[in-house]
PDB file of all heavy atoms in Angstrom:
ATOM      1  N   ALA A  70      -7.224  32.138 -10.421  1.00  0.00           N
ATOM      2  CA  ALA A  70      -6.034  32.560 -11.166  1.00  0.00           C
ATOM      3  C   ALA A  70      -4.849  32.769 -10.232  1.00  0.00           C
ATOM      4  O   ALA A  70      -3.700  32.481 -10.591  1.00  0.00           O
ATOM      5  CB  ALA A  70      -6.325  33.843 -11.948  1.00  0.00           C
ATOM      6  N   ALA A  71      -5.107  33.242  -9.025  1.00  0.00           N
ATOM      7  CA  ALA A  71      -4.031  33.449  -8.049  1.00  0.00           C
ATOM      8  C   ALA A  71      -3.394  32.117  -7.675  1.00  0.00           C
ATOM      9  O   ALA A  71      -2.161  32.016  -7.577  1.00  0.00           O
ATOM     10  CB  ALA A  71      -4.576  34.145  -6.808  1.00  0.00           C
ATOM     11  N   HIS A  72      -4.201  31.092  -7.493  1.00  0.00           N
ATOM     12  CA  HIS A  72      -3.656  29.776  -7.142  1.00  0.00           C
ATOM     13  C   HIS A  72      -2.838  29.194  -8.287  1.00  0.00           C
ATOM     14  O   HIS A  72      -1.760  28.644  -8.074  1.00  0.00           O
ATOM     15  CB  HIS A  72      -4.769  28.820  -6.706  1.00  0.00           C
ATOM     16  CG  HIS A  72      -5.375  29.226  -5.409  1.00  0.00           C
ATOM     17  ND1 HIS A  72      -4.715  29.064  -4.207  1.00  0.00           N
ATOM     18  CD2 HIS A  72      -6.545  29.830  -5.125  1.00  0.00           C
ATOM     19  CE1 HIS A  72      -5.473  29.533  -3.235  1.00  0.00           C
ATOM     20  NE2 HIS A  72      -6.582  30.006  -3.759  1.00  0.00           N
ATOM     21  N   LYS A  73      -3.333  29.327  -9.497  1.00  0.00           N
ATOM     22  CA  LYS A  73      -2.578  28.841 -10.656  1.00  0.00           C
ATOM     23  C   LYS A  73      -1.246  29.571 -10.774  1.00  0.00           C
ATOM     24  O   LYS A  73      -0.206  28.968 -11.046  1.00  0.00           O
ATOM     25  CB  LYS A  73      -3.407  29.000 -11.925  1.00  0.00           C
ATOM     26  CG  LYS A  73      -4.569  28.039 -11.990  1.00  0.00           C
ATOM     27  CD  LYS A  73      -5.402  28.246 -13.231  1.00  0.00           C
ATOM     28  CE  LYS A  73      -6.610  27.319 -13.203  1.00  0.00           C
ATOM     29  NZ  LYS A  73      -7.521  27.546 -14.304  1.00  0.00           N
ATOM     30  N   SER A  74      -1.272  30.875 -10.541  1.00  0.00           N
ATOM     31  CA  SER A  74      -0.054  31.678 -10.595  1.00  0.00           C
ATOM     32  C   SER A  74       0.933  31.273  -9.502  1.00  0.00           C
ATOM     33  O   SER A  74       2.130  31.140  -9.751  1.00  0.00           O
ATOM     34  CB  SER A  74      -0.425  33.165 -10.454  1.00  0.00           C
ATOM     35  OG  SER A  74       0.716  33.962 -10.306  1.00  0.00           O
ATOM     36  N   PHE A  75       0.432  31.067  -8.295  1.00  0.00           N
ATOM     37  CA  PHE A  75       1.293  30.669  -7.175  1.00  0.00           C
ATOM     38  C   PHE A  75       1.921  29.302  -7.443  1.00  0.00           C
ATOM     39  O   PHE A  75       3.123  29.109  -7.243  1.00  0.00           O
ATOM     40  CB  PHE A  75       0.496  30.649  -5.869  1.00  0.00           C
ATOM     41  CG  PHE A  75       1.295  30.199  -4.684  1.00  0.00           C
ATOM     42  CD1 PHE A  75       2.254  31.025  -4.122  1.00  0.00           C
ATOM     43  CD2 PHE A  75       1.096  28.942  -4.137  1.00  0.00           C
ATOM     44  CE1 PHE A  75       3.013  30.607  -3.029  1.00  0.00           C
ATOM     45  CE2 PHE A  75       1.841  28.517  -3.047  1.00  0.00           C
ATOM     46  CZ  PHE A  75       2.800  29.351  -2.496  1.00  0.00           C
ATOM     47  N   ILE A  76       1.120  28.363  -7.897  1.00  0.00           N
ATOM     48  CA  ILE A  76       1.640  27.018  -8.181  1.00  0.00           C
ATOM     49  C   ILE A  76       2.697  27.082  -9.279  1.00  0.00           C
ATOM     50  O   ILE A  76       3.790  26.526  -9.135  1.00  0.00           O
ATOM     51  CB  ILE A  76       0.485  26.064  -8.556  1.00  0.00           C
ATOM     52  CG1 ILE A  76      -0.376  25.778  -7.321  1.00  0.00           C
ATOM     53  CG2 ILE A  76       1.031  24.767  -9.144  1.00  0.00           C
ATOM     54  CD1 ILE A  76      -1.697  25.084  -7.633  1.00  0.00           C
ATOM     55  N   ALA A  77       2.395  27.755 -10.366  1.00  0.00           N
ATOM     56  CA  ALA A  77       3.323  27.826 -11.498  1.00  0.00           C
ATOM     57  C   ALA A  77       4.602  28.569 -11.147  1.00  0.00           C
ATOM     58  O   ALA A  77       5.700  28.150 -11.524  1.00  0.00           O
ATOM     59  CB  ALA A  77       2.637  28.487 -12.692  1.00  0.00           C
ATOM     60  N   GLY A  78       4.482  29.669 -10.417  1.00  0.00           N
ATOM     61  CA  GLY A  78       5.630  30.526 -10.160  1.00  0.00           C
ATOM     62  C   GLY A  78       6.458  30.184  -8.939  1.00  0.00           C
ATOM     63  O   GLY A  78       7.642  30.528  -8.874  1.00  0.00           O
ATOM     64  N   PHE A  79       5.864  29.502  -7.963  1.00  0.00           N
ATOM     65  CA  PHE A  79       6.559  29.298  -6.697  1.00  0.00           C
ATOM     66  C   PHE A  79       6.578  27.845  -6.218  1.00  0.00           C
ATOM     67  O   PHE A  79       7.467  27.461  -5.475  1.00  0.00           O
ATOM     68  CB  PHE A  79       5.934  30.169  -5.597  1.00  0.00           C
ATOM     69  CG  PHE A  79       6.075  31.618  -5.869  1.00  0.00           C
ATOM     70  CD1 PHE A  79       5.125  32.294  -6.615  1.00  0.00           C
ATOM     71  CD2 PHE A  79       7.178  32.328  -5.412  1.00  0.00           C
ATOM     72  CE1 PHE A  79       5.263  33.647  -6.892  1.00  0.00           C
ATOM     73  CE2 PHE A  79       7.328  33.672  -5.677  1.00  0.00           C
ATOM     74  CZ  PHE A  79       6.368  34.333  -6.431  1.00  0.00           C
ATOM     75  N   LEU A  80       5.599  27.072  -6.630  1.00  0.00           N
ATOM     76  CA  LEU A  80       5.442  25.746  -6.033  1.00  0.00           C
ATOM     77  C   LEU A  80       5.775  24.608  -6.988  1.00  0.00           C
ATOM     78  O   LEU A  80       6.508  23.694  -6.630  1.00  0.00           O
ATOM     79  CB  LEU A  80       4.007  25.596  -5.512  1.00  0.00           C
ATOM     80  CG  LEU A  80       3.741  24.502  -4.503  1.00  0.00           C
ATOM     81  CD1 LEU A  80       4.694  24.583  -3.318  1.00  0.00           C
ATOM     82  CD2 LEU A  80       2.315  24.588  -4.026  1.00  0.00           C
ATOM     83  N   GLY A  81       5.234  24.640  -8.180  1.00  0.00           N
ATOM     84  CA  GLY A  81       5.442  23.535  -9.109  1.00  0.00           C
ATOM     85  C   GLY A  81       4.848  22.260  -8.558  1.00  0.00           C
ATOM     86  O   GLY A  81       3.889  22.270  -7.796  1.00  0.00           O
ATOM     87  N   GLY A  82       5.404  21.137  -8.937  1.00  0.00           N
ATOM     88  CA  GLY A  82       4.995  19.860  -8.376  1.00  0.00           C
ATOM     89  C   GLY A  82       3.740  19.268  -8.965  1.00  0.00           C
ATOM     90  O   GLY A  82       3.224  18.283  -8.449  1.00  0.00           O
ATOM     91  N   GLY A  83       3.204  19.843 -10.038  1.00  0.00           N
ATOM     92  CA  GLY A  83       2.038  19.265 -10.690  1.00  0.00           C
ATOM     93  C   GLY A  83       0.738  19.375  -9.926  1.00  0.00           C
ATOM     94  O   GLY A  83      -0.171  18.575 -10.128  1.00  0.00           O
ATOM     95  N   TYR A  84       0.616  20.344  -9.053  1.00  0.00           N
ATOM     96  CA  TYR A  84      -0.605  20.485  -8.256  1.00  0.00           C
ATOM     97  C   TYR A  84      -1.774  21.002  -9.082  1.00  0.00           C
ATOM     98  O   TYR A  84      -1.610  21.838  -9.964  1.00  0.00           O
ATOM     99  CB  TYR A  84      -0.378  21.441  -7.085  1.00  0.00           C
ATOM    100  CG  TYR A  84       0.441  20.849  -5.975  1.00  0.00           C
ATOM    101  CD1 TYR A  84       1.776  21.201  -5.814  1.00  0.00           C
ATOM    102  CD2 TYR A  84      -0.107  19.934  -5.082  1.00  0.00           C
ATOM    103  CE1 TYR A  84       2.537  20.663  -4.789  1.00  0.00           C
ATOM    104  CE2 TYR A  84       0.647  19.387  -4.060  1.00  0.00           C
ATOM    105  CZ  TYR A  84       1.974  19.763  -3.918  1.00  0.00           C
ATOM    106  OH  TYR A  84       2.722  19.225  -2.905  1.00  0.00           O
ATOM    107  N   LYS A  85      -2.958  20.497  -8.732  1.00  0.00           N
ATOM    108  CA  LYS A  85      -4.228  21.001  -9.249  1.00  0.00           C
ATOM    109  C   LYS A  85      -4.947  21.628  -8.065  1.00  0.00           C
ATOM    110  O   LYS A  85      -4.569  21.406  -6.912  1.00  0.00           O
ATOM    111  CB  LYS A  85      -5.049  19.858  -9.841  1.00  0.00           C
ATOM    112  CG  LYS A  85      -4.370  19.195 -11.025  1.00  0.00           C
ATOM    113  CD  LYS A  85      -5.171  17.973 -11.474  1.00  0.00           C
ATOM    114  CE  LYS A  85      -4.395  17.258 -12.551  1.00  0.00           C
ATOM    115  NZ  LYS A  85      -3.961  15.930 -12.148  1.00  0.00           N
ATOM    116  N   VAL A  86      -6.003  22.383  -8.345  1.00  0.00           N
ATOM    117  CA  VAL A  86      -6.714  23.110  -7.294  1.00  0.00           C
ATOM    118  C   VAL A  86      -8.157  22.634  -7.195  1.00  0.00           C
ATOM    119  O   VAL A  86      -8.850  22.520  -8.207  1.00  0.00           O
ATOM    120  CB  VAL A  86      -6.696  24.630  -7.581  1.00  0.00           C
ATOM    121  CG1 VAL A  86      -7.466  25.397  -6.517  1.00  0.00           C
ATOM    122  CG2 VAL A  86      -5.277  25.140  -7.710  1.00  0.00           C
ATOM    123  N   ALA A  87      -8.597  22.375  -5.975  1.00  0.00           N
ATOM    124  CA  ALA A  87     -10.010  22.083  -5.700  1.00  0.00           C
ATOM    125  C   ALA A  87     -10.512  23.178  -4.771  1.00  0.00           C
ATOM    126  O   ALA A  87      -9.986  23.367  -3.677  1.00  0.00           O
ATOM    127  CB  ALA A  87     -10.165  20.712  -5.048  1.00  0.00           C
ATOM    128  N   ALA A  88     -11.498  23.917  -5.241  1.00  0.00           N
ATOM    129  CA  ALA A  88     -12.088  24.994  -4.439  1.00  0.00           C
ATOM    130  C   ALA A  88     -13.589  24.974  -4.670  1.00  0.00           C
ATOM    131  O   ALA A  88     -14.041  24.879  -5.798  1.00  0.00           O
ATOM    132  CB  ALA A  88     -11.504  26.339  -4.833  1.00  0.00           C
ATOM    133  N   GLY A  89     -14.335  25.057  -3.625  1.00  0.00           N
ATOM    134  CA  GLY A  89     -15.786  25.070  -3.741  1.00  0.00           C
ATOM    135  C   GLY A  89     -16.304  26.493  -3.787  1.00  0.00           C
ATOM    136  O   GLY A  89     -15.616  27.414  -4.221  1.00  0.00           O
ATOM    137  N   LYS A  90     -17.494  26.659  -3.285  1.00  0.00           N
ATOM    138  CA  LYS A  90     -18.078  27.996  -3.186  1.00  0.00           C
ATOM    139  C   LYS A  90     -17.232  28.822  -2.234  1.00  0.00           C
ATOM    140  O   LYS A  90     -16.732  28.319  -1.226  1.00  0.00           O
ATOM    141  CB  LYS A  90     -19.501  27.901  -2.665  1.00  0.00           C
ATOM    142  CG  LYS A  90     -20.432  27.158  -3.582  1.00  0.00           C
ATOM    143  CD  LYS A  90     -21.798  26.979  -2.929  1.00  0.00           C
ATOM    144  CE  LYS A  90     -22.667  26.109  -3.814  1.00  0.00           C
ATOM    145  NZ  LYS A  90     -23.880  25.685  -3.141  1.00  0.00           N
TER     146      LYS A  90
END
Side-chain angles (χ1 to χ4, degrees):
H72 292 287
K73 289 178 184 175
S74 171
F75 178 73
I76 290 168
F79 296 88
L80 198 53
Y84 286 104
K85 297 174 186 115
V86 178
K90 296 174 186 169

